[in-house]
Each structure stands twice: as structure tokens, then as C-alpha cells.
Amino acid sequence: MKTIIEPFRIKATEPINLTTLEYRKKALEKAHNNVFLLDAEDCSIDLLTDSGTGAMSTRQWAAMMMGDESYAGSRSWKRFEKTVKSITGIKHILPTHQGRAAEAILAHTLIKRGDVIPNNSHFDTTRANIEYVRGIALNLLCDEGLETENKAPFKGNMDIEKLERCIQKYGREKIPFGMITVTNNTGGGQPVSMENIRQVKAVLSRYDIPLIIDACRFAENAYFIRSREPGYADKSLMEIAQEMFSHADGATMSCKKDGLANIGGFLICNDDQWAEDFKNQLILREGFPTYGGLAGRDLEAIAVGLVEALELDYQVYRHATVKYLSERLLERHIPIVQPPGGHAVFLNAKKFLPGIPPLQYPGIGIVNAIYVEGGIRGVELGSVMFGKVDDKGIEQASPLELVRLAFPRRVYTQSHFDYMIEIIEQVFVRRDKIPGYRITHQPRFLRHFTCHFESC
Ligand code: F0G
């Protein structure tokens, strides 16, 4: 088999700062050992997120120059609407400035206190928007989705029996809609099969409950279906995406992922009354329904990006980068979540640093060591981000201690990945020198963003 090459060449370059070990030690100290507090310029390779960090194509930049900035009914809006409709087949299209804005409108319009929203796994902002209106966000992920080394092909699937039980328990009246997140970010970017989407829809339909897809990474999910699910190998990614959305009554989307844009999102639905209610919220929060918090040029960039994300060569390359890094880490016996998902590689911090107890945050130890060693910024997904405090005020560890290395789209080349492998290997070889950490300062909410650490 031939080498899978980046299906693009580089027309504009963005310099990255190459810093010294000493410089990075000082920078991390100044950031109170929390990589969220670093200056981005001090990160040579930034894997904090794949959201809004991608590179746009010449076609997108050219389309941006065609942006129509009219307040109402712009040409760019029409292009955006037509593209989203062609992929999703859904009737009403509302642009938003990003994914969580779509979630907020959905939550404020449809959820009452005590309502229950089942999902395979809610992303943080989805959960927060549901809980903000006093709803209950339930994760009904299949059991294998939590097993870090189970190689099942669709670990993002919802457990259909759990869904049935959830509806029996709470009743149809308490469930204004169900959701499914493709791919399942919280569970490591794991895909959901078409069969599972179909089954979820069938169960919900029996109770007349609508289905909303959280579609952030719909194109990566379509590629997984094409390569792993029987019957899809000869279909185009566009056809697969269309089939995925054909089972939905609506969707929320962050175009900062598979829209291949730096900002943007949408909320879509088939129901006319919902659309009316969403529009009222949209005007209040985002803007007039034909721009919804975006400039005309953003709408143009997204319209092109959504279609480019469904190009097979692009997805083959994208998935090859994830595979490349994960296979080489595995060859070096570096523990990762398997199989890797679509947008990131997750290091298993519990296995990487077995001597450090969860409440000394092994994930932070690895994140900080990788930064100091090579200027690579990853993020902890473990007891700092997800740890809870029990009734007695005692901190409880999270079930998993992971480090996410998320890949911006079309940004890093193979030599950047080779460099990541070298740095992670060096850190792994010297892992017994990595300290645990304690928190010296933390805010009340979302502590991982701003808390301060010191080594212990
Ligand atoms: N849903 C999922 C599955 C997501 O991964 C995200 C964002 C959102 C919704 C919210 O979209 O950021 O445009 O408001 N995930 C980013 C991440 C932030 O780093 O995984 P947004």
C-alpha cells in the first residue's frame, strides 16, 4: 500500500515558535502549572482542541471574499442554507455562532424543569445547557464505550435497552427529545453505527419522541461507518451523512469541527412550530435568522467546508493521522485508549503513571511533562476536569484518567507527528521522574480552566 499523503499543499505558512526547555519550564511555572494559562505562542504544537483550530482551503478563502454582508436574505445565507439542506435533508435551518448557542436555544425552548434528555454521552456544554434549565442530562452509552482497550468498532453507540428502560422509568411526557452525539467526543471520539442510529430512532418513534443529532463530527462518523459497517463500503460520505440525518428530526452543529471553519454552528429541525420558537430565541440571542451571529463570509466558509469534510481523500488522510500516531505509540508500549477515535488520541494516564494516585492527577503530570519536554500542549480529561465532591465535601476521583491530544484539521504534517512521537516516548521513558500535583487555587465552577497546581 502506498503512503497516504496530505491531500493538499501549503500556500500560506504560519510560523511556530521553537522554544528551549528552560524557557518552557519558566512559562509553565508562570502559568501555575496549568497549560490552559499558557500563551498559545509558547506552544509549538497545540493539541488542546480540534475545535475552530483547523486550516481553511483556498476554496474557502476565495468564497469568503464573496461574502454578502447584507443584514437580511444575503446570498451567502442562501448558499449556506442550500448546503446544509443538501447534506441533512432537514427543512428549517438556523445559523448560530457556534455549537453551544444552538444547544442553548434548544434547551430554553424545549426543556422544562425535571425533563430528561437521554444521549449516548452529552458533551460538557450540552449537559450544562440542559442543567441550566433544570433538565437532567442522562448518558446511556453502551458498556464497551467505557472499556479503554475493548476494540469494538462502534464504541459510541447508545445502549438500546438502557434507552427503553429510561423511557419506561421517566415516561414520554418527561422526555421532549432524545439525542445522539456523532462521534462521541466525551467517550474519546468513538463512532456511532448507522444501525444504532436507526435503532435509537425506532425506539424513540414508538413513544413519539423526536431525535436530535449532535452533529459536530458527522463527517468523521460517516467515514467510520463507510470503513467499518457492512453495506457502506461503496457509498459516498455524502450519501452516508444524508442517511444519518434522515433518521433525525433535528440537529445541533458546531461548524468549528466538521464545518472546517474557525467559527460557526447551526440548529436545524423539521417541525414548523419548533422552528418558529427557535427563531424567536435566535433573534433574541444571536441575530436575524439569515445570519444568526455570523458574518456573511463565515457562512460562505462553512458552506464550502461542510462539503470538503465529506471528501473521501480528506477523511482517509485525517483518519490516517490518528492511526499513525496511535500505532507508533502502541509499538512503544505507551498506553492509549483503543481503538482511537476520529479526532484525537487519548493517553491512558492511569497506566502511563501507575504510581500516581488519581487525586494527585496523573493526567496533569503527563500534560505538563509533554509541554516541558517538547512544547506540545494536550489536555487532561480526568479527576481535575470531571472529579466531583461528595456530600461530605470529599473529592472523588473520575473513573478514567486520560490525556487528550486533539488534532486540528489540516494543520500539522507528518514530521510534526513524528516529533510528537519522539517527545511522548522521551517522557514515557523517564516517567518515574514525573511528579503528581495538588491544586493550590480553584474557582467554584469548571476549575480545570483556571486552577493553579504545584507538584507534590
Ligand atoms: N458538542 C460536541 C460533541 C462538542 O465536541 C462540542 C465542542 C460542542 C458540542 C460545542 O460546540 O464549542 O462550537 O460551542 N467541543 C470542543 C472540544 C470545545 O474541544 O471538544 P462549540
Side-chain angles (χ1 to χ4, degrees), residues 9 27 39 57 67 99 149 153 250 266 278 283 306 343 363 381 392 429-430 439:
R9 54 187 180 180
D39 287 346
S57 67
E149 272 150 59
F266 56 73
F278 291 165
I283 292 171
L306 287 167
H343 66 289
L381 275 82
K392 298 190 190 90
V429 168
R430 292 191 292 97
I439 295 179

PDB file of all heavy atoms in Angstrom, residues 9 27 39 57 67 99 149 153 250 266 278 283 306 343 363 381 392 429-430 439:
ATOM      1  N   ARG A   9      -1.478  20.932  -0.623  1.00  0.00           N
ATOM      2  CA  ARG A   9      -0.151  21.502  -0.434  1.00  0.00           C
ATOM      3  C   ARG A   9      -0.323  22.842   0.251  1.00  0.00           C
ATOM      4  O   ARG A   9      -1.436  23.353   0.359  1.00  0.00           O
ATOM      5  CB  ARG A   9       0.594  21.608  -1.758  1.00  0.00           C
ATOM      6  CG  ARG A   9      -0.169  22.345  -2.814  1.00  0.00           C
ATOM      7  CD  ARG A   9       0.545  22.266  -4.144  1.00  0.00           C
ATOM      8  NE  ARG A   9      -0.213  22.977  -5.163  1.00  0.00           N
ATOM      9  CZ  ARG A   9       0.163  23.068  -6.417  1.00  0.00           C
ATOM     10  NH1 ARG A   9       1.281  22.507  -6.828  1.00  0.00           N
ATOM     11  NH2 ARG A   9      -0.568  23.730  -7.281  1.00  0.00           N
ATOM     12  N   ALA A  27       7.826  29.233  31.519  1.00  0.00           N
ATOM     13  CA  ALA A  27       6.479  29.584  31.032  1.00  0.00           C
ATOM     14  C   ALA A  27       5.422  28.793  31.812  1.00  0.00           C
ATOM     15  O   ALA A  27       4.388  29.329  32.214  1.00  0.00           O
ATOM     16  CB  ALA A  27       6.374  29.295  29.539  1.00  0.00           C
ATOM     17  N   ASP A  39       0.513  31.126  27.198  1.00  0.00           N
ATOM     18  CA  ASP A  39       0.282  31.852  25.947  1.00  0.00           C
ATOM     19  C   ASP A  39       0.365  30.833  24.814  1.00  0.00           C
ATOM     20  O   ASP A  39       1.301  30.022  24.776  1.00  0.00           O
ATOM     21  CB  ASP A  39       1.373  32.908  25.719  1.00  0.00           C
ATOM     22  CG  ASP A  39       1.197  34.096  26.655  1.00  0.00           C
ATOM     23  OD1 ASP A  39       0.111  34.210  27.267  1.00  0.00           O
ATOM     24  OD2 ASP A  39       2.143  34.886  26.781  1.00  0.00           O
ATOM     25  N   SER A  57      -9.246  26.001   3.305  1.00  0.00           N
ATOM     26  CA  SER A  57      -8.716  25.736   1.963  1.00  0.00           C
ATOM     27  C   SER A  57      -8.744  27.013   1.124  1.00  0.00           C
ATOM     28  O   SER A  57      -9.396  28.000   1.487  1.00  0.00           O
ATOM     29  CB  SER A  57      -9.569  24.672   1.291  1.00  0.00           C
ATOM     30  OG  SER A  57     -10.868  25.202   1.047  1.00  0.00           O
ATOM     31  N   GLY A  67     -18.342  36.891   0.349  1.00  0.00           N
ATOM     32  CA  GLY A  67     -19.316  37.046   1.429  1.00  0.00           C
ATOM     33  C   GLY A  67     -20.238  38.235   1.187  1.00  0.00           C
ATOM     34  O   GLY A  67     -19.774  39.323   0.874  1.00  0.00           O
ATOM     35  N   GLY A  99     -21.609  25.856  18.348  1.00  0.00           N
ATOM     36  CA  GLY A  99     -22.492  24.749  18.736  1.00  0.00           C
ATOM     37  C   GLY A  99     -23.301  25.019  19.986  1.00  0.00           C
ATOM     38  O   GLY A  99     -24.509  24.748  20.034  1.00  0.00           O
ATOM     39  N   GLU A 149      -9.690  -0.594  26.468  1.00  0.00           N
ATOM     40  CA  GLU A 149      -8.969  -1.415  25.500  1.00  0.00           C
ATOM     41  C   GLU A 149      -9.867  -2.367  24.706  1.00  0.00           C
ATOM     42  O   GLU A 149      -9.381  -3.210  23.956  1.00  0.00           O
ATOM     43  CB  GLU A 149      -7.839  -2.175  26.185  1.00  0.00           C
ATOM     44  CG  GLU A 149      -6.588  -1.313  26.191  1.00  0.00           C
ATOM     45  CD  GLU A 149      -5.677  -1.565  27.353  1.00  0.00           C
ATOM     46  OE1 GLU A 149      -5.239  -2.709  27.495  1.00  0.00           O
ATOM     47  OE2 GLU A 149      -5.419  -0.622  28.121  1.00  0.00           O
ATOM     48  N   PRO A 153     -15.975  -1.895  17.195  1.00  0.00           N
ATOM     49  CA  PRO A 153     -15.910  -0.874  16.135  1.00  0.00           C
ATOM     50  C   PRO A 153     -16.753   0.367  16.402  1.00  0.00           C
ATOM     51  O   PRO A 153     -16.460   1.432  15.882  1.00  0.00           O
ATOM     52  CB  PRO A 153     -16.425  -1.622  14.901  1.00  0.00           C
ATOM     53  CG  PRO A 153     -17.238  -2.752  15.429  1.00  0.00           C
ATOM     54  CD  PRO A 153     -16.638  -3.130  16.747  1.00  0.00           C
ATOM     55  N   GLY A 250     -33.984  16.698  13.961  1.00  0.00           N
ATOM     56  CA  GLY A 250     -33.271  17.964  14.076  1.00  0.00           C
ATOM     57  C   GLY A 250     -31.830  17.699  14.430  1.00  0.00           C
ATOM     58  O   GLY A 250     -31.433  16.543  14.636  1.00  0.00           O
ATOM     59  N   PHE A 266     -24.993  25.568  13.700  1.00  0.00           N
ATOM     60  CA  PHE A 266     -26.403  25.701  13.295  1.00  0.00           C
ATOM     61  C   PHE A 266     -27.291  24.819  14.142  1.00  0.00           C
ATOM     62  O   PHE A 266     -26.840  23.887  14.823  1.00  0.00           O
ATOM     63  CB  PHE A 266     -26.605  25.438  11.795  1.00  0.00           C
ATOM     64  CG  PHE A 266     -26.125  24.098  11.262  1.00  0.00           C
ATOM     65  CD1 PHE A 266     -26.794  22.921  11.538  1.00  0.00           C
ATOM     66  CD2 PHE A 266     -25.004  24.045  10.425  1.00  0.00           C
ATOM     67  CE1 PHE A 266     -26.374  21.707  11.009  1.00  0.00           C
ATOM     68  CE2 PHE A 266     -24.562  22.830   9.892  1.00  0.00           C
ATOM     69  CZ  PHE A 266     -25.253  21.658  10.189  1.00  0.00           C
ATOM     70  N   PHE A 278     -37.737  28.424  17.892  1.00  0.00           N
ATOM     71  CA  PHE A 278     -36.272  28.585  17.830  1.00  0.00           C
ATOM     72  C   PHE A 278     -35.919  29.970  17.273  1.00  0.00           C
ATOM     73  O   PHE A 278     -35.009  30.634  17.751  1.00  0.00           O
ATOM     74  CB  PHE A 278     -35.633  27.529  16.914  1.00  0.00           C
ATOM     75  CG  PHE A 278     -35.675  26.114  17.428  1.00  0.00           C
ATOM     76  CD1 PHE A 278     -35.422  25.038  16.563  1.00  0.00           C
ATOM     77  CD2 PHE A 278     -35.948  25.830  18.757  1.00  0.00           C
ATOM     78  CE1 PHE A 278     -35.443  23.728  17.016  1.00  0.00           C
ATOM     79  CE2 PHE A 278     -35.971  24.511  19.218  1.00  0.00           C
ATOM     80  CZ  PHE A 278     -35.730  23.461  18.338  1.00  0.00           C
ATOM     81  N   ILE A 283     -33.351  35.288  17.351  1.00  0.00           N
ATOM     82  CA  ILE A 283     -33.328  36.741  17.151  1.00  0.00           C
ATOM     83  C   ILE A 283     -32.901  37.431  18.450  1.00  0.00           C
ATOM     84  O   ILE A 283     -32.135  38.387  18.438  1.00  0.00           O
ATOM     85  CB  ILE A 283     -34.711  37.236  16.664  1.00  0.00           C
ATOM     86  CG1 ILE A 283     -34.955  36.701  15.256  1.00  0.00           C
ATOM     87  CG2 ILE A 283     -34.797  38.751  16.693  1.00  0.00           C
ATOM     88  CD1 ILE A 283     -36.349  36.923  14.724  1.00  0.00           C
ATOM     89  N   LEU A 306     -18.248  22.316   4.849  1.00  0.00           N
ATOM     90  CA  LEU A 306     -19.096  21.141   5.114  1.00  0.00           C
ATOM     91  C   LEU A 306     -18.975  20.112   3.991  1.00  0.00           C
ATOM     92  O   LEU A 306     -18.988  18.906   4.238  1.00  0.00           O
ATOM     93  CB  LEU A 306     -20.565  21.577   5.241  1.00  0.00           C
ATOM     94  CG  LEU A 306     -20.942  22.324   6.521  1.00  0.00           C
ATOM     95  CD1 LEU A 306     -22.317  22.966   6.371  1.00  0.00           C
ATOM     96  CD2 LEU A 306     -20.918  21.394   7.731  1.00  0.00           C
ATOM     97  N   HIS A 343     -10.837  12.139  16.150  1.00  0.00           N
ATOM     98  CA  HIS A 343     -10.234  13.472  16.168  1.00  0.00           C
ATOM     99  C   HIS A 343      -9.111  13.621  17.175  1.00  0.00           C
ATOM    100  O   HIS A 343      -8.583  14.722  17.347  1.00  0.00           O
ATOM    101  CB  HIS A 343     -11.303  14.529  16.449  1.00  0.00           C
ATOM    102  CG  HIS A 343     -11.904  14.427  17.839  1.00  0.00           C
ATOM    103  ND1 HIS A 343     -12.748  13.418  18.209  1.00  0.00           N
ATOM    104  CD2 HIS A 343     -11.760  15.207  18.919  1.00  0.00           C
ATOM    105  CE1 HIS A 343     -13.109  13.597  19.468  1.00  0.00           C
ATOM    106  NE2 HIS A 343     -12.520  14.665  19.926  1.00  0.00           N
ATOM    107  N   GLY A 363      -2.857  12.734  34.980  1.00  0.00           N
ATOM    108  CA  GLY A 363      -3.046  13.373  33.669  1.00  0.00           C
ATOM    109  C   GLY A 363      -2.333  14.723  33.596  1.00  0.00           C
ATOM    110  O   GLY A 363      -1.703  15.063  32.581  1.00  0.00           O
ATOM    111  N   LEU A 381      -8.142  14.907  30.796  1.00  0.00           N
ATOM    112  CA  LEU A 381      -9.556  14.565  30.964  1.00  0.00           C
ATOM    113  C   LEU A 381      -9.587  13.512  32.060  1.00  0.00           C
ATOM    114  O   LEU A 381      -9.491  12.318  31.785  1.00  0.00           O
ATOM    115  CB  LEU A 381     -10.162  13.995  29.676  1.00  0.00           C
ATOM    116  CG  LEU A 381     -10.673  14.994  28.645  1.00  0.00           C
ATOM    117  CD1 LEU A 381      -9.561  15.528  27.786  1.00  0.00           C
ATOM    118  CD2 LEU A 381     -11.708  14.349  27.752  1.00  0.00           C
ATOM    119  N   LYS A 392     -20.056  14.894  51.757  1.00  0.00           N
ATOM    120  CA  LYS A 392     -19.242  15.286  52.915  1.00  0.00           C
ATOM    121  C   LYS A 392     -18.118  16.244  52.522  1.00  0.00           C
ATOM    122  O   LYS A 392     -17.235  16.538  53.329  1.00  0.00           O
ATOM    123  CB  LYS A 392     -18.642  14.036  53.566  1.00  0.00           C
ATOM    124  CG  LYS A 392     -19.701  13.091  54.089  1.00  0.00           C
ATOM    125  CD  LYS A 392     -19.055  11.995  54.948  1.00  0.00           C
ATOM    126  CE  LYS A 392     -20.052  10.907  55.277  1.00  0.00           C
ATOM    127  NZ  LYS A 392     -20.078   9.813  54.260  1.00  0.00           N
ATOM    128  N   VAL A 429       9.762   7.197  28.722  1.00  0.00           N
ATOM    129  CA  VAL A 429      10.978   6.532  29.210  1.00  0.00           C
ATOM    130  C   VAL A 429      11.353   7.055  30.603  1.00  0.00           C
ATOM    131  O   VAL A 429      11.791   6.308  31.464  1.00  0.00           O
ATOM    132  CB  VAL A 429      12.133   6.733  28.195  1.00  0.00           C
ATOM    133  CG1 VAL A 429      13.467   6.315  28.791  1.00  0.00           C
ATOM    134  CG2 VAL A 429      11.849   5.959  26.908  1.00  0.00           C
ATOM    135  N   ARG A 430      11.134   8.336  30.811  1.00  0.00           N
ATOM    136  CA  ARG A 430      11.502   8.922  32.105  1.00  0.00           C
ATOM    137  C   ARG A 430      10.281   9.132  33.012  1.00  0.00           C
ATOM    138  O   ARG A 430      10.245  10.047  33.835  1.00  0.00           O
ATOM    139  CB  ARG A 430      12.225  10.252  31.870  1.00  0.00           C
ATOM    140  CG  ARG A 430      13.607  10.054  31.210  1.00  0.00           C
ATOM    141  CD  ARG A 430      14.444  11.316  31.208  1.00  0.00           C
ATOM    142  NE  ARG A 430      13.887  12.327  30.329  1.00  0.00           N
ATOM    143  CZ  ARG A 430      13.100  13.323  30.723  1.00  0.00           C
ATOM    144  NH1 ARG A 430      12.770  13.453  31.980  1.00  0.00           N
ATOM    145  NH2 ARG A 430      12.638  14.192  29.856  1.00  0.00           N
ATOM    146  N   ILE A 439      -3.800  20.911  43.868  1.00  0.00           N
ATOM    147  CA  ILE A 439      -4.385  22.195  43.460  1.00  0.00           C
ATOM    148  C   ILE A 439      -4.192  23.201  44.589  1.00  0.00           C
ATOM    149  O   ILE A 439      -4.493  22.912  45.752  1.00  0.00           O
ATOM    150  CB  ILE A 439      -5.888  22.022  43.133  1.00  0.00           C
ATOM    151  CG1 ILE A 439      -6.042  21.101  41.915  1.00  0.00           C
ATOM    152  CG2 ILE A 439      -6.557  23.369  42.883  1.00  0.00           C
ATOM    153  CD1 ILE A 439      -7.466  20.816  41.502  1.00  0.00           C
TER     154      ILE A 439
END
